[in-house]
Amino acid sequence: MSVKVAVIHYSSTGAVHALAEAVAEGAATAGAEVRLRRVAELATDAAIDENPRWRRHLDAVAAVPEAAVEDLAWADAYAFGTPTRFGAPAAQLKQFLDQSVGLWREGALADKPVTAFTAAFNRHGGAEATIISLANVFYHWGALIVPPGYTDPAVYAAGGNPYGTSAVTGPSGDGPDAASLDAARYQGRRLARTAIQLRAGARAAEEDARALT
């Protein structure tokens, strides 16, 4: 049984994009059909050009499709990624989430599994707060939050964040380490497997209901 997973993220210099690719890979290995999408950049060219890594990454991902509200309607499950900005999601991702109001009113986002991941410059740079902040949106949707928890050795190896994968970029700018990428792959697999189990349960319930009529 296949499910559709949308991995939607914002990344300025590439760390969150690398995590998003790993989450997408993990979901695909669990049997999901995956859309990897980046949200639109809101910063000016002048601001981007002040940081060569920012410009380099933006040019490198130009071929990655931009996220649209239709991707939310399409998917059975979601994974959202963002760098932490003062303990909160980046404005670019928040602006995209704010476009979901129409689907929210229709109840189209309810009961869908969702998970989140992030990256920060410092180990205590607000990663957990960022993921919890995203959870506030998911509560309003009525979505089913699927954290990695302490359910696999990969979570411990990556630093033990039960809320979601959180990479530390540090001054080197090398991006997520191998342990963080492994944790992200596991998080993607867990999300897809949860979605598959929910789909199977819903289908079984429908069959039981038809049998009783």
Side-chain angles (χ1 to χ4, degrees):
M1 179 182 298
S2 179
V3 295
K4 295 174 288 188
V5 173
V7 181
I8 298 173
H9 69 291
Y10 173 72
S11 185
S12 55
T13 59
V16 174
H17 179 70
L19 292 174
E21 289 182 315
V23 170
E25 180 184 342
T29 61
E33 179 184 354
V34 180
R35 285 185 183 179
L36 177 66
R37 297 291 187 265
R38 62 185 178 93
V39 300
E41 179 59 79
L42 303 179
T44 64
D45 283 334
I48 295 168
D49 289 336
E50 289 180 358
N51 184 337
R53 288 173 54 208
W54 195 351
R55 169 55 65 191
R56 188 162 53 247
H57 172 68
L58 191 59
D59 291 343
V61 298
V64 177
E66 284 192 359
V69 173
E70 188 274 333
D71 295 311
L72 297 177
W74 169 85
D76 300 307
Y78 311 116
F80 291 102
T82 176
T84 180
R85 294 288 186 263
F86 303 110
Q92 289 85 344
L93 181 63
K94 184 59 168 61
Q95 191 268 351
F96 173 77
L97 294 173
D98 287 345
Q99 298 176 47
S100 69
V101 63
L103 292 176
W104 165 73
R105 284 187 182 133
E106 297 168 5
L109 305 171
D111 303 326
K112 293 187 178 182
V114 60
T115 198
F117 54 96
T118 189
F121 186 85
N122 297 305
R123 183 164 300 279
H124 300 289
E128 292 181 359
T130 297
I131 294 174
I132 292 171
S133 179
L134 278 173
N136 289 329
V137 175
F138 308 150
Y139 296 145
H140 282 256
W141 287 359
L144 306 176
I145 298 174
V146 182
Y150 293 118
T151 58
D152 191 89
V155 177
Y156 292 92
N161 189 338
Y163 303 97
T165 302
S166 56
V168 179
T169 59
S172 66
D174 292 334
D177 60 14
S180 296
L181 294 174
D182 284 344
R185 292 186 192 97
Y186 168 69
Q187 190 170 352
R189 289 195 303 273
R190 178 170 165 80
L191 176 68
R193 289 170 180 167
T194 300
I196 290 169
Q197 290 168 353
L198 288 170
R199 172 67 65 84
R203 181 171 296 178
E206 290 173 359
E207 293 174 353
D208 290 344
R210 283 196 296 268
L212 294 173
T213 58

